Amino acid sequence: MTPAERLLTVLRGGEVTPVPCSIYFNTNLRVQGHDCSRLEGRTALAIDLGVDPFVSVGLGHGTHAEVRSRTWIDEDVAGEFWPIFWQEWQTPSGTLRQGVRRNETCANWDHIHWNDAAASSMFEPLIKEAADVEAFRYLFQPLAEVDFNAWQIATAPSFDHARALGLPVIATYGQGLALHMFLMGAQNAVLFSVDEPEAFDSLASIGHEAAMRNIEYAHRAGVHVLKRFGGYEMCNFYNPEIWRRVCRPRLEREVARAHELGLAIFYRVVTGMEPLLEDIATIGFDAIEGGEPHLSRCSLEQWRDAFAGRAASWTGVSSPVLLGGDDPEAVRSEVRKAVEIFGRRGFVLGVTNSIRRHFPWANTLAMIDEWKRLGDG
């Protein structure tokens, strides 16, 4: 079986031998002669290690043709160590502005990227009041056909690489409430959910509309699996009722559409999911991925009890605690524990976050060696 066939078999309830081990490497990793800043380097490393690689692509959003934007830098802002990088957008519904600290992660930006770096470097949020949401709609629109065509050209090498090696293509099609954080920062996003619940919900609708279009495009492009990021919409940020009101109905529509098109779909979580395990389990995802048993109150046993028989589990070894730690034997023990807990059906041995340059490489080698030993046993 190819890596694509192995992963899809597990996500659709089947069993393969050995249990798949599918992990992902941070782009900053340089090891064993492999440069993980490049797709080919990450794939070659996975193949050399004997694990199941995959190819990741991301589908984004469009911008209304009438939007005009400019950027500038304030080099000397009172009380700030870093210069401030600004971007302003003029829309038919008003002008929006966002500022981020131009630190190491944002040093080379020529425009603001709505991602983790923007959230952690926030100086001035884009969304400041409810009225800003309608203006933002012009900045974040479903991809138009011309945008999709350009995306296909840009990602063609990734798809070609996947086809040549029989690898699954996984498309991140939506970010959920992470979008709010990227626009406002964590604190402002949480406060906005309480102070402006209707506007908060409208902002989620904007992201959802783009995500639904992306599901269609992913199907047309030949993607194997859809990934819905949910790491920043859990209960370490929001009350469970906010998730149930804002996220759940949209997730149900996204999963239903994916399945109508014959696509497998998984939900990525990290921490804070404990009060929502039953809710997540009943939405219909083919797999739940990630989880962090050592930095949350959700053990691997709780995870199994919630999802077994309802969704595959793609989880296992804590990246920050174990792979980033100093005890390879603890890593081996966790691999044995995960396989014992989850068994061999509906389980992909994974890591809870990407493997990074500062992690002792011996820990990753120990994880893979123990997985191979169990598979041969």
Side-chain angles (χ1 to χ4, degrees):
M1 299 177 77
T2 66
E5 291 167 339
R6 283 169 56 79
L7 180 61
L8 287 171
T9 296
V10 173
L11 296 191
R12 289 173 173 151
E15 182 177 343
V16 299
T17 302
V19 167
C21 177
S22 196
I23 59 182
Y24 49 112
F25 307 112
N26 196 279
T27 55
N28 68 20
L29 184 64
R30 308 289 186 274
V31 66
Q32 294 185 343
H34 297 292
D35 178 0
C36 289
S37 67
R38 300 172 58 251
L39 169 62
E40 294 80 3
R42 295 191 296 276
T43 301
L45 177 57
I47 291 172
D48 283 357
L49 293 170
V51 297
D52 295 272
F54 56 87
V55 172
S56 294
V57 296
L59 282 152
H61 66 279
T63 303
H64 193 281
E66 294 183 34
V67 172
R68 298 293 178 266
S69 174
R70 69 186 184 102
T71 62
W72 70 96
I73 300 170
D74 279 348
E75 296 285 356
D76 188 12
V77 177
E80 288 294 324
F81 177 81
W82 301 103
I84 305 302
F85 181 71
W86 294 98
Q87 186 162 358
E88 181 182 87
W89 295 265
Q90 294 179 351
T91 83
S93 289
T95 299
L96 298 175
R97 185 178 76 170
Q98 185 173 1
V100 298
R101 294 174 176 87
R102 197 173 175 84
N103 51 32
E104 293 96 336
T105 59
C106 310
N108 298 318
W109 284 7
D110 60 2
H111 68 279
I112 287 181
H113 299 259
W114 291 319
N115 59 18
D116 286 341
S120 61
S121 306
M122 193 72 61
F123 177 75
E124 181 178 305
L126 181 73
I127 305 297
K128 303 173 183 65
E129 58 186 12
D132 293 337
V133 173
E134 284 310 303
F136 177 70
R137 188 177 295 276
Y138 287 91
L139 308 187
F140 202 97
Q141 300 201 322
L143 282 176
E145 191 72 22
V146 65
D147 299 319
F148 173 61
N149 292 337
W151 178 85
Q152 284 193 295
I153 293 170
T155 59
S158 295
F159 279 87
D160 291 344
H161 183 70
R163 277 191 292 270
L165 297 173
L167 307 182
V169 178
I170 297 176
T172 300
Y173 74 91
Q175 301 281 7
L177 300 190
L179 178 62
H180 298 60
M181 187 179 298
F182 300 158
L183 303 176
M184 291 182 268
Q187 178 174 316
N188 290 323
V190 171
L191 293 175
F192 197 70
S193 72
V194 176
D195 296 336
E196 301 288 353
E198 292 184 6
F200 185 89
D201 186 73
S202 295
L203 192 56
S205 289
I206 292 172
H208 171 65
E209 290 165 14
M212 290 294 286
R213 178 74 60 82
N214 286 344
I215 292 173
E216 307 287 334
Y217 284 144
H219 171 64
R220 287 172 53 185
V223 162
H224 297 94
V225 183
L226 292 171
K227 171 184 174 181
R228 169 59 158 77
F229 182 71
Y232 298 155
E233 58 195 26
M234 297 290 104
C235 298
N236 44 358
F237 296 104
Y238 300 106
N239 183 290
E241 291 308 312
I242 291 176
W243 185 92
R244 291 176 180 128
R245 174 174 56 85
V246 176
C247 299
R248 177 170 186 133
R250 295 181 172 103
L251 288 170
E252 288 174 340
R253 287 193 289 272
E254 292 167 19
V255 169
R257 187 56 183 146
H259 287 162
E260 286 171 2
L261 295 172
L263 290 169
I265 181 171
F266 70 87
Y267 193 40
R268 169 159 176 78
V269 298
V270 185
T271 59
M273 59 282 187
E274 300 89 346
L276 298 172
L277 290 176
E278 180 62 22
D279 294 87
I280 294 169
T282 57
I283 286 176
F285 284 105
D286 296 289
I288 314 299
E289 189 267 338
E292 176 45 67
H294 290 263
L295 297 177
S296 73
R297 290 189 294 272
C298 182
S299 66
L300 294 177
E301 290 89 348
Q302 288 174 282
W303 181 286
R304 175 204 58 202
D305 293 346
F307 301 131
R310 299 194 279 189
S313 292
W314 187 348
T315 187
V317 180
S318 170
S319 301
V321 175
L322 295 177
L323 295 181
D326 58 3
D327 188 354
E329 287 306 314
V331 174
R332 290 180 178 274
S333 176
E334 194 80 345
V335 172
R336 294 193 297 271
K337 176 181 176 182
V339 172
E340 178 182 350
I341 289 171
F342 292 105
R344 298 181 179 273
R345 179 177 292 275
F347 176 51
V348 179
L349 178 65
V351 294
T352 61
N353 247 305
S354 63
I355 298 168
R356 308 181 184 213
R357 180 170 53 191
H358 63 277
F359 290 1
W361 187 239
N363 290 332
T364 298
L365 295 179
M367 174 185 174
I368 295 169
D369 182 68
E370 193 66 20
W371 163 72
K372 290 179 177 178
R373 190 186 68 79
L374 293 174
D376 292 338

